[in-house]
Amino acid sequence: MKAVSYDQRAVRRARYAVAAVFAVHGAVTGSFATRVPWIQEHAAVSAGQLGLALAFPALGASLAMPLAGRISHTLGARNALRGLIALWTLSLTLPSLAPNLLTLCLALFVFGATAGMADVAMNALGVEVENRLGRSIMSGLHGMWSAGALVGSAAGTLAAHLGADARLHHTLAAAVLTVLGIGACTWVLDLQPAEDEEPPPRFTLPPRSALLIGAVGFCAVFAEGASLDWSAVYLRDRLETSAGLAAACTTGFTLTMAVARIAGDKVVDRYGSVRTVRAGGVLAVLGGLLIVVSRQPAAAMAGFALMGLGIAVVVPLCFAAAGRSGPNPSQAIAGVATITYTSGLVAPSAIGGLAQATSLVVSFGLVTLLACGLAAFAGVLRAGDRNRPTVSRPSDAAVPDPRP
């Protein structure tokens, strides 16, 4: 992309615009996650079949993500994000319309494909804004995603408590979020490809530098996906709670994720990526153990909240470390994104399949085991603690990274 000149006021405005897009993206996920029990009942699918269906969003995302670069190259970053975020918000209406397993799988495939392409486009613009500002903002942007997920899940909790039809709920939510998403894109950076720039490849394998970093992200996204998609089902089926209380568990999880991510940039600046992720891994393990042994809804909800607190900043830090891990930052970031989405592909089906064969308690025992990997292998994120090299821009003074 061309290094288009922007003054600092425009860059700061672009930061808030991208943050708003992150929030809209998260609100779609939160709106969907709290109505999974309703969708399961409407489509008349078992826990194992639901696990299979919930693998399709990540499958669609993994296959479609490489196309986002081509779309941005063709349309420009702003128009690409505007179109992709609209497709993502409108796709929220599809899963609740599915009457059976086959149509649910197809709907979730499209749902995931649009999510993945929009995710790549907004993260790429977030990285560009971070480079121009010369300081860390990615955790905060992901915090805005979690804040949006919190708002979406809170609305979903209310809708579930009132017994509202998810088809009506998701249609109204999609309409509102589409308007907000398209509006926010007005102020993002409008990057255009250079005249001699080759279009990016449609598909590429992750570079070696991304594999270990991606493995840490894999553990975090597995826990996140399991908690988002299965926390409400866990409380309803395991602890026999009401639909409203089960949905509130998902809301609590997204709340701790949002708070931790919004505060994450300052924490990382002070303690570094490695120590932050190790401490988070310990909290996630404690949360997983509490989920597994709990017999009361309050204890299980506290466990999911600790899980969210522990894993919150891991993925943003994985992207930051990947960007500094090799000669081609964009390729490394794309590689980490592919691995983490693969985790999202594996997690729902693994949880559902294991629950079908054994129980949801055993499934979340697996989540707890993977959370141990965050504490054990956090050292591979040490690249994220290096001083950020200054970035020269036509109109922006380079600012050194404040991290030690």
Side-chain angles (χ1 to χ4, degrees), residues 232-248:
V233 177
Y234 187 93
L235 260 71
R236 186 196 64 183
D237 292 355
R238 166 69 178 166
L239 302 177
E240 300 179 346
T241 66
S242 66
L245 187 59

Side-chain angles (χ1 to χ4, degrees), residues 1 66-81 84 190-194 197-200 202:
M1 292 290 179
L67 300 177
R70 280 287 182 122
I71 294 172
S72 295
H73 185 273
T74 301
L75 302 178
R78 180 184 293 167
N79 287 334
L81 182 60
L84 292 174
D190 189 19
L191 305 179
Q192 299 290 335
E197 183 178 343
E198 292 291 329
R202 290 185 176 88

Side-chain angles (χ1 to χ4, degrees), residues 214-239:
V216 175
F218 182 98
C219 295
V221 172
F222 192 101
E224 181 179 355
S227 298
L228 275 175
D229 289 339
W230 287 95
S231 56
V233 177
Y234 187 93
L235 260 71
R236 186 196 64 183
D237 292 355
R238 166 69 178 166
L239 302 177

Side-chain angles (χ1 to χ4, degrees), residues 155-232:
T157 298
L158 179 61
H161 179 72
L162 296 175
D165 190 306
R167 291 168 293 190
L168 175 61
H169 164 212
H170 284 167
T171 298
L172 293 175
V176 171
L177 293 172
T178 299
V179 172
L180 293 176
I182 291 175
C185 289
T186 303
W187 295 281
V188 301
L189 300 180
D190 189 19
L191 305 179
Q192 299 290 335
E195 294 181 0
D196 58 348
E197 183 178 343
E198 292 291 329
R202 290 185 176 88
F203 298 97
T204 182
L205 294 175
R208 289 183 180 180
S209 61
L211 295 179
L212 289 177
I213 296 171
V216 175
F218 182 98
C219 295
V221 172
F222 192 101
E224 181 179 355
S227 298
L228 275 175
D229 289 339
W230 287 95
S231 56

Side-chain angles (χ1 to χ4, degrees), residues 105-124:
C105 290
L106 292 174
L108 289 175
F109 181 89
V110 175
F111 184 70
T114 57
M117 290 188 292
D119 194 308
V120 170
M122 70 187 191
N123 271 285

Side-chain angles (χ1 to χ4, degrees), residues 371-389:
C372 294
L374 299 178
F377 302 110
V380 303
L381 302 183
R382 200 171 305 279
D385 288 334
R386 298 173 188 167
N387 290 333
R388 185 193 305 274

Side-chain angles (χ1 to χ4, degrees), residues 62 65 205-219 221-222 319 332-346:
S62 297
M65 276 193 304
L205 294 175
R208 289 183 180 180
S209 61
L211 295 179
L212 289 177
I213 296 171
V216 175
F218 182 98
C219 295
V221 172
F222 192 101
F319 286 140
I333 291 172
V336 168
T338 300
I339 295 170
T340 56
Y341 267 86
T342 300
S343 180
L345 170 64
V346 172

